[in-house]
Amino acid sequence: MTIGSVTLLVIVCFCSVYAQSSRKLPDDFNIGVATAAYQIEGGWNEDGKGEGIWDYMTHHHPEKITDGSSGDVACDSYHKYKQDVQLIKSLGFQRYRFSISWPRIFPNGFMNKVNQAGIDYYNNLINELLANDVEPMITIYHWNLPQNFTNFGGWTNPQIVSWFTSYAKLLFESFGDRVKLWITINEPKQICVFGYGTGIFAPGLNYSGVADYMCTKNVLLAHASVYRLYDKIFKPKQKGRIGITIESVWGEPGSDAEEDKKAADRMIQFDFGIYAHPVFHKNGGYPKVVEEYVARRSSAEGFSKSRLPKLTPKEIDYIKGTSDFYGLNHYSTMYVKNKLPDPITNPCRIKDMQVHTYDDPSWLSGSISYFRLVPWGFRKLLNYIKNNYQDPEIIVTENGFPDYGEIEDNNRIKFHKGNLNAVLDALIYDNVKVKDYIVWSLMDNYEWSEGYRIPFGLYHVNFTDVNRQRTPKASCGFFKDLLYTRKLAHDEN
């Protein structure tokens, strides 16, 4: 080998290592940032807004919130939306996902009373985003139900399908000329399991294994109704896309034992399959294992029929195929082992599932241990969705990390860097159709039952300051550089 050959080999090796150390984002890969109305807006009773379920719970049951706080003012984005748009623009984000407050539009929930001031607020926000070259992405329902509906059962009342459809129709009529990306419902599991099963979220009802399943059926039908309305009436003219967002955890078998492999699949089906299977699977309907396990335990408990409300063949067909993309919120992976049946007592979704879950303490976790960096789990999840749900387009509608209040949020940077690499690996090597990655969240905000205790933001918000001063964290610099260079440091996952 000559000196020239050695030199050439060194150059080639150096270039190969460099190529592996960074990768260019595909031209059609979009990165955005997200918030939700109750968590940032404040102005809880201003300009004709009605009372929502979180207003009621935080005012009447502050003991359900870790720090006893409320979202009455939150980040004050109702008054500071122009400043927030500039924060988004300054970092170079291409999309902004935000939600509409149902009681700000319909103060009592019903369409007989429309609050024009609420429509004006969102019109102003949308126009401000477009003027700054940021594409709006609207979530129609992000947990902000008018309190009035709780008197009628909320999401456990089948009438909510028509109430929700009337609400969505007004949004399409008011904003659809400019908004081309819609999410019907954010995270059915959190709405139903936490709101009607465990009671840790508003409306705070604790009827696990019964009310959460009633809610599940109505959420699916409400989503399908709104999708079909948009698809038939509005899409031909407005040319937008609409889908549902499902928070999905990856479950990895805790061993090679067949019972643990089945347990991992069962956890997946109870965790997100119960919501995704009816919409995305070619056969539709609930996952068979969910139907079987709930029916078996219901019978043992003395019920004459399953606690899981039946989907009729007509309803299965009505729900199936009602999404233009799979909206994916992903935060965690867990190991799963089989668990022997619990003694027969009161109904409970966790007992129906019959699994034990745990994590690896070496995984990077945030100020809430549920949020863990496991890039290989994220990649497996993306492939699972591709292989089981007819290879849909996937929009990662949320991915985020809770810090401890620090400005130098280096663990958040590690979290996003690791997960972005997992997404790109799935896109490049596995041909998964994932084209978008939405960061949760633009700024620290009201984190539901945790109050202001858990910061998720790229911007720190000083909640003791009347002006709610926003201060950039280190992760702002990471995303600004990423969006400017379109290059991501490559980590093997």
Side-chain angles (χ1 to χ4, degrees), residues 376-393:
W376 57 262
F378 198 178
R379 184 175 176 182
K380 285 189 174 185
L381 171 63
L382 291 167
N383 276 275
Y384 180 92
I385 293 169
K386 172 189 174 178
N387 295 328
N388 288 273
Y389 298 137
Q390 304 183 83
D391 194 15
E393 177 184 341

Side-chain angles (χ1 to χ4, degrees), residues 155-157 192 210-219 307 309:
W155 283 102
T156 66
N157 186 337
C192 298
V210 179
D212 43 7
Y213 292 145
M214 296 166 65
C215 169
T216 294
K217 179 176 179 177
N218 292 332
V219 163
R307 291 179 274 101

